[in-house]
Amino acid sequence: MIVAEIKPFVEIKNIIKDCKKVLVLGCGSCVSVCMSGGEKQVELLASAIRMAGKLEGKEIIVGEKTILRQCDPEFVEQIKDEADNYDVILSMACGAGVQGIVKWLNKVSVLPAMNTRFIGMADGQGSWTEVCRACGDCVLADTGGICPVTTCPKGILNGPCGGNKKGKCEVSPDIPCAWVLIYERLKDLGKLDDMKKEVAAKDWSKGLKPGRYSIKEKEEEKVRKD
Amino acid sequence: MSKMTLPPCQAACPIHTDVRGYVNAIARGEVEEAIRIIRQVNPFPSSCGRICTRLCEKACRRAQVDAPVSIRALKRFASDQTKGFKLHERPMHHYDEKIAIIGSGPAGLTAAHDLALFGYAVTVFESQKVLGGMLSEGIPDYRLPKDLVKEEVAAILSLGVEAKTGMSLGKDFTLEDLLKDYHAVFIAVGSQKSLLPKFKGVELSGIATAVEFLKKISRGQITIIGEKVVVIGGGHTAIDAARTCIRLGLKDVTIVYRRTLSEMPAGREEAEAAEKEGIKIMYLTSPVEFSGDGKVQSVRCIKMELGEADTSGRRKPVPLENSEFEIPADTVILAIGYIPDTEPLKESGLQLGKKGTVIVKDETGITNIQGVFAAGDVVSGPQSVIDAIASGRRVAEAIHSHFRKMPSKEVIDYASLETLNNNLVELIKKTERQKMPILPVQERISNFEEVDLGFSKDQAVREAQRCLNCAAGASIAMNCVSCLNCVRICPYGIPSPGKEIVSIDINQCQACGICASECPASAIQLNLESKEGVRAEIENIIDFARQETPEILIIGFYCRYNSPVGPPFDEDEVYWLGKLCSGRINESQLIYPFELGADGVIVSMCGKDECRFRSGNQWMTEHVKRAKRILSETGIGSDRLDIVSEEENFSFFRNRLEAGGMNPLRQGKKVKA
């Protein structure tokens, strides 16, 4: 899932400084799961905005709302009428959510309350690690299921490099060497020989931005090729 | 039949009293709320608080951890503390139908109470001079003071119930007479005819039945009964008779019971209290003959042993050969069983059973005669007061349905929660059951003063807080995002990942509330504490505080389990809010007071290892940290919020607050210069 974190409050305060009516809009998907943009955080941010506003002598009307996903037009539609009552929607979704609101509610300004970080997985209560870079050409089959493109700061496809010290990366002692992890994993699987295989050069064009995926277009492309 | 799962106490109670509800109210110090809950279903809280057979306590799951919650004593506390409390005003007569009730025991009067509230004109016929049946005459004052019964009866009469005392069925009126003047008759004459043993000597003088004996005592007709008394039986009435004899000054009182203490219907507590008062109890002993010259002089007994289980599930006593012996006796009191006295109904056409009971269709009490209902001990044979109250309630419903041509109320199959998992039991903190204060033996054996003195407030609150709040814990709404945070933080490991949303087993949840305070989707509700409720509570207390115009307004949160009787310390400017675990105090609750103008918020930390729920302190500390960050970022200032557990720390906090001035969001009130 997508992991995002809330922006420093001073930054949020600054971007909404001219707004009188703010709708703090939570997202009930990824950012709720990573505990940064769900209903609870909406309540706290709204409260903080009200208080900070009052301190500056401003009466800001702050609405609170959470929809299931901000990256789907049907869910965004649910707040269409309510949105008219506000100057701005302060989105607590990932960047996709913010832009979803921008796209489907085109008459209201939308501002981000979050910094979108990465695609990650939970590694304990309240913490997440990036594990996928969405490169478009997955190599996990060749690397024991551990992604070197994401986990190795250099993205080396045939590692390890010479910068590995006691299983840690030379970039930071907090980062485990992806290729040591891959080695250990293959050893556990009894497939150490795979280490000798060369991972072929990746098709980096698949990661061309902006990424796009359409089932219909994909089918048409297949038909064309056949 | 529909099914409903209830906390074990509520499922076990014949009238399904919301035990958890009133116990929790006492735990919060809200005694009036407690009595309100009790009175919804029970017009005899004071009596039941003393003599109920407490099926609730037998079902209480706290017994798996240490000992059941002392529920009966809590009911008594609620009722003693709210004397004069009136739940209902005298209702209007909405309906024309008139109802006669024969018998003013708990079944009859409960039905009268409920029917009066439905809006019927009710007349109760009682053969004795006083109302209340066995409550008034069959239970000695040292266990149930008569004044209390009088008060409960008076409250029922105040609803407009008419009572005709000294009116005996069969002598002063017949069932047919009543059917001419009333649209329905409820027979609730109880089961007071003593069974007599069928052996030699039972006709001798000096042999009395326990109910008659206790009635005479309660009417003040004390008879001199010699020096040596033998009471036969093992029920409450037997012990009541024996303990009454001690109070009349008799020194040599023996109870003869054919089974052992474990089978004794009166229970261990009563038997032990009797023995402490000097009564001798001979277990596994049965009388076989009374002998004497016109007047009883001795009881011939035989020793017994326990054989196979009988139909009641108890092991049947079997006589031991050649074990007969004599006990000298001037008086013998028989308390071996009772049957209804339905002799006066024999000619009425009412269908009667073998043992004099009235035959009814089902729990509605409908008999073979149209408009005639029966319930309570006259139908079931002797049962407990709470059973009688339950049957009175059901008949009142049935009579109302009968007149209003409504279908009878749906019968609900009340299921109880599952038992606690063994590994969970290990994690639950043990707390000792409060002991009922009692009159010392020397101070009680020469009078009829009540023996149980009742809990102090401190005891009651502590005892109420032992309640595990079964099934009042967390429930998950559909907006759960399955983030699994609750799964990861529950101190008992109760939530588990489900197919769509997380599931929290209501049977096992301990209601600490930590998951709810941490849920990022606000998808977890706590049965006994809604989010809106807490916000309203904060609003109310700040409104209240404002009226007192303190120079500095501080809201204090504390854990009620850690500080049961009240806030941890007293300071004029602190307005306290008690919580059932400090882990429930979340960031929103910590910040909201500032939005409303509070100058400071303090949270009292529970002692190390003292958290009832294992990790409440840890989460509270975390929430304070996060809330401080928000206060700092918004410009309110993080110093306005702190963990302050002791008075000494408080002056430091207060000085710092004073130096910082009042909350800039606070309007209209001056702060000390």
Side-chain angles (χ1 to χ4, degrees):
Chain A
M1 64 160 190
I2 293 164
V3 177
E5 65 183 338
I6 193 161
K7 280 178 180 289
F9 185 69
V10 58
E11 191 182 332
I12 294 175
K13 214 166 76 171
N14 191 39
I15 58 175
I16 60 164
K17 66 177 188 293
D18 299 324
C19 306
K20 289 191 175 65
K21 293 176 190 168
V22 180
L23 177 62
V24 181
L25 186 63
C27 183
S29 296
C30 310
V31 292
S32 283
V33 176
C34 69
M35 298 168 24
S36 54
E39 204 169 308
K40 177 179 172 171
Q41 295 302 330
V42 167
E43 189 188 326
L44 292 175
L45 180 58
S47 183
I49 292 171
R50 270 194 298 269
M51 288 194 292
K54 251 191 194 172
L55 272 185
E56 289 169 8
K58 292 189 284 193
E59 275 296 334
I60 306 179
I61 294 169
V62 188
E64 299 169 32
K65 188 97 190 167
T66 301
I67 56 174
L68 189 55
R69 282 199 299 276
Q70 295 188 15
C71 54
D72 272 313
E74 291 83 355
F75 288 122
V76 175
E77 176 79 21
Q78 292 172 347
I79 55 151
K80 202 173 171 186
D81 294 337
E82 199 175 341
D84 290 343
N85 302 328
Y86 296 93
D87 307 333
V88 68
I89 292 177
L90 186 58
S91 165
M92 294 195 81
C94 67
V98 177
Q99 293 175 76
I101 308 285
V102 167
K103 181 164 180 153
W104 297 305
L105 295 183
N106 43 20
K107 283 182 194 151
V108 59
S109 40
V110 186
L111 295 170
M114 314 288 280
N115 289 326
T116 307
R117 297 289 308 277
F118 49 77
I119 297 173
M121 68 177 180
D123 58 6
Q125 192 269 326
S127 70
W128 293 266
T129 306
E130 181 174 18
V131 284
C132 175
R133 193 149 281 186
C135 68
D137 186 23
C138 192
V139 296
L140 288 171
D142 300 328
T143 59
I146 292 164
C147 176
V149 178
T150 316
T151 310
C152 169
K154 302 175 188 173
I156 289 175
L157 286 181
N158 290 286
C161 69
N164 153 39
K165 276 185 205 138
K166 289 183 183 164
K168 302 289 182 195
C169 176
E170 65 180 338
V171 171
S172 159
D174 294 333
I175 302 173
C177 171
W179 278 98
V180 171
L181 295 177
I182 292 166
Y183 174 87
E184 297 294 344
R185 172 77 177 161
L186 290 174
K187 200 165 117 187
D188 287 347
L189 295 173
K191 292 181 173 174
L192 258 188
D193 279 352
D194 284 7
M195 277 299 282
K196 292 179 188 158
K197 287 185 195 163
E198 196 179 317
V199 179
K202 267 170 55 69
D203 179 358
W204 291 103
S205 74
K206 294 239 175 97
L208 195 69
K209 304 294 171 197
R212 194 174 150 69
Y213 171 66
S214 155
I215 293 172
K216 203 175 150 196
E217 287 169 14
K218 209 64 193 176
E219 287 302 320
E220 283 167 3
E221 193 185 335
K222 262 191 200 163
V223 171
R224 261 201 320 273
K225 276 185 183 164
D226 291 343
Chain B
M1 189 155 47
S2 63
K3 281 203 163 194
M4 195 188 260
T5 304
L6 295 177
C9 47
Q10 191 177 4
C13 175
I15 53 172
H16 306 298
T17 309
D18 177 9
V19 177
R20 184 190 66 201
Y22 79 76
V23 169
N24 193 272
I26 296 173
R28 296 193 308 265
E30 292 168 22
V31 189
E32 195 155 300
E33 173 63 11
I35 198 71
R36 196 177 297 280
I37 295 170
I38 298 167
R39 279 286 288 105
Q40 293 290 345
V41 290
N42 188 345
F44 292 102
S46 193
S47 300
C48 287
R50 288 168 166 81
I51 57 154
C52 185
T53 43
R54 31 183 178 175
L55 294 167
C56 49
E57 291 187 29
K58 291 189 182 87
C60 177
R61 298 199 301 176
R62 180 99 214 177
Q64 279 186 261
V65 181
D66 35 44
V69 174
S70 193
I71 299 168
R72 185 176 71 187
L74 291 174
K75 175 174 282 158
R76 172 182 167 163
F77 175 78
S79 125
D80 286 0
Q81 296 297 310
T82 53
K83 283 222 175 293
F85 169 85
K86 233 175 153 185
L87 181 64
H88 304 286
E89 289 305 312
R90 184 178 174 142
M92 302 282 287
H93 282 170
H94 297 300
Y95 306 116
D96 296 333
E97 289 91 346
K98 285 161 52 187
I99 299 151
I101 296 176
I102 314 174
S104 71
L109 284 184
T110 301
H113 169 267
D114 288 10
L115 286 165
L117 289 176
F118 283 137
Y120 294 98
V122 184
T123 308
V124 177
F125 293 81
E126 169 57 54
S127 63
Q128 303 302 323
K129 283 184 189 148
V130 289
L131 298 167
M134 290 293 266
L135 288 178
S136 302
E137 294 205 322
I139 298 163
D141 265 35
Y142 70 84
R143 225 154 52 88
L144 178 60
K146 275 169 200 51
D147 290 349
L148 298 173
V149 182
K150 259 188 205 158
E151 283 168 24
E152 298 196 313
V153 171
I156 294 170
L157 296 183
S158 77
L159 300 175
V161 172
E162 189 190 0
K164 293 190 173 179
T165 53
M167 293 286 282
S168 228
L169 174 66
K171 213 164 78 189
D172 303 307
F173 64 92
T174 62
L175 183 58
E176 292 75 20
D177 294 340
L178 293 186
L179 283 169
K180 278 177 212 152
D181 297 332
Y182 296 90
H183 299 86
V185 178
F186 172 31
I187 301 169
V189 296
S191 179
Q192 300 189 27
K193 192 168 142 190
S194 296
L195 284 172
L196 296 176
K198 288 187 184 118
F199 48 72
K200 222 175 128 189
V202 73
E203 72 294 340
L204 290 171
S205 79
I207 298 179
T209 62
V211 167
E212 283 312 310
F213 170 71
L214 291 171
K215 277 186 183 173
K216 273 188 184 163
I217 300 295
S218 73
R219 288 171 202 158
Q221 306 161 338
I222 300 170
T223 42
I224 306 296
I225 48 176
E227 284 178 2
K228 297 184 173 73
V229 181
V230 174
V231 180
I232 295 166
H236 280 292
T237 320
I239 305 247
D240 285 349
R243 294 180 74 182
T244 297
C245 288
I246 288 286
R247 282 161 176 76
L248 293 174
L250 293 156
K251 301 275 181 264
D252 189 348
V253 182
T254 307
I255 293 174
V256 169
Y257 176 53
R258 57 190 185 142
R259 291 182 162 101
T260 71
L261 177 60
S262 342
E263 290 86 21
M264 203 173 201
R268 185 176 292 270
E269 266 177 61
E270 278 285 304
E272 282 174 359
E275 283 180 322
K276 279 192 185 136
E277 290 173 5
I279 292 159
K280 195 172 160 196
I281 305 181
M282 299 176 80
Y283 295 103
L284 289 169
T285 305
S286 184
V288 287
E289 184 186 334
F290 304 122
S291 52
D293 185 12
K295 188 191 157 299
V296 71
Q297 281 166 328
S298 74
V299 181
R300 192 163 180 75
C301 295
I302 189 163
K303 296 302 280 180
M304 315 289 278
E305 63 178 351
L306 291 180
E308 299 291 306
D310 65 10
T311 44
S312 73
R314 294 183 300 178
R315 290 172 68 190
K316 200 180 162 144
V318 189
L320 271 176
E321 263 181 58
N322 302 322
S323 67
E324 291 189 17
F325 64 100
E326 302 253 338
I327 313 172
D330 299 315
T331 291
V332 173
I333 299 174
L334 298 169
I336 56 170
Y338 308 89
I339 54 168
D341 183 5
T342 44
E343 203 55 39
L345 291 166
K346 274 213 165 128
E347 305 297 314
S348 66
L350 198 66
Q351 206 183 345
L352 301 176
K354 264 189 205 157
K355 288 180 177 168
T357 52
V358 177
I359 306 287
V360 293
K361 188 182 142 209
D362 52 25
E363 290 195 326
T364 55
I366 294 170
T367 66
N368 64 315
I369 302 177
Q370 166 86 3
V372 177
F373 297 77
D377 287 1
V378 74
V379 167
S380 58
Q383 293 214 318
S384 67
V385 171
I386 194 67
D387 285 312
I389 293 171
S391 57
R393 282 181 60 80
R394 284 191 294 260
V395 166
E397 284 277 354
I399 292 176
H400 183 49
S401 307
H402 164 75
F403 285 142
R404 305 276 68 85
K405 306 203 167 25
M406 297 186 298
S408 331
K409 221 177 169 189
E410 194 191 10
V411 182
I412 299 170
D413 179 15
Y414 292 105
S416 169
L417 296 178
E418 293 165 12
T419 54
L420 298 168
N421 291 341
N422 288 337
N423 54 350
L424 174 63
V425 168
E426 296 300 312
L427 298 175
I428 299 173
K429 199 175 172 193
K430 291 183 172 47
T431 43
E432 210 172 314
R433 180 175 154 117
Q434 294 288 324
K435 284 195 177 67
M436 171 62 76
I438 53 169
L439 266 188
V441 174
Q442 282 316 313
E443 285 175 39
R444 74 191 196 218
I445 51 168
S446 54
N447 57 55
F448 280 85
E449 292 297 311
E450 192 172 15
V451 172
D452 289 354
L453 300 174
F455 282 164
S456 65
K457 188 186 175 199
D458 183 287
Q459 277 190 299
V461 172
R462 283 175 196 275
E463 185 61 23
Q465 291 186 352
R466 293 182 67 240
C467 173
L468 296 178
N469 293 320
C470 297
S475 57
I476 295 218
M478 281 313 287
N479 62 326
C480 165
V481 295
S482 282
C483 69
L484 308 184
N485 196 38
C486 53
V487 176
R488 291 171 190 146
I489 65 174
C490 173
Y492 303 97
I494 307 300
S496 59
K499 274 190 176 160
E500 287 178 33
I501 60 172
V502 165
S503 77
I504 295 182
D505 185 353
I506 197 165
N507 291 287
Q508 309 296 333
C509 172
Q510 292 301 299
C512 64
I514 292 169
C515 59
S517 70
E518 274 293 294
C519 175
S522 300
I524 302 179
Q525 274 93 46
L526 295 174
N527 190 313
L528 295 168
E529 182 187 287
S530 71
K531 189 173 145 187
E532 295 71 26
V534 177
R535 281 178 91 84
E537 227 182 321
I538 295 172
E539 285 159 16
N540 289 342
I541 199 158
I542 288 184
D543 267 355
F544 172 77
R546 281 205 162 145
Q547 285 160 21
E548 298 198 337
T549 58
E551 284 164 1
I552 287 188
L553 198 171
I554 298 167
I555 297 299
F557 289 98
Y558 71 98
C559 171
R560 285 186 189 278
Y561 288 121
N562 192 57
S563 184
V565 187
F569 56 87
D570 253 342
E571 288 291 346
D572 284 348
E573 52 277 89
V574 184
Y575 295 83
W576 292 98
L577 277 171
K579 306 279 290 182
L580 294 173
C581 185
S582 51
R584 290 185 176 212
I585 309 162
N586 63 17
E587 302 92 308
S588 159
Q589 293 169 23
L590 291 169
I591 287 170
Y592 192 46
F594 293 105
E595 264 202 77
L596 301 175
D599 300 306
V601 170
I602 56 172
V603 188
S604 168
M605 168 84 92
C606 306
K608 194 173 176 283
D609 299 328
E610 275 174 22
C611 179
R612 157 153 170 166
F613 298 116
R614 304 166 60 80
S615 58
N617 264 343
Q618 174 202 324
W619 286 106
M620 181 271 284
T621 312
E622 188 63 30
H623 299 155
V624 168
K625 216 163 42 181
R626 293 183 208 153
K628 273 170 98 69
R629 184 180 47 75
I630 296 173
L631 291 171
S632 155
E633 287 173 345
T634 47
I636 305 287
S638 64
D639 281 353
R640 293 184 182 276
L641 166 66
D642 231 328
I643 297 171
V644 177
S645 306
E646 287 155 10
E647 270 175 293
E648 298 101 77
N649 303 350
F650 179 73
S651 52
F652 175 75
F653 175 80
R654 194 193 188 287
N655 291 341
R656 197 174 62 187
L657 211 57
E658 246 177 345
M662 71 174 188
N663 176 358
L665 299 180
R666 185 171 165 191
Q667 292 159 337
K669 295 285 173 270
K670 277 184 193 156
V671 71
K672 201 160 93 178

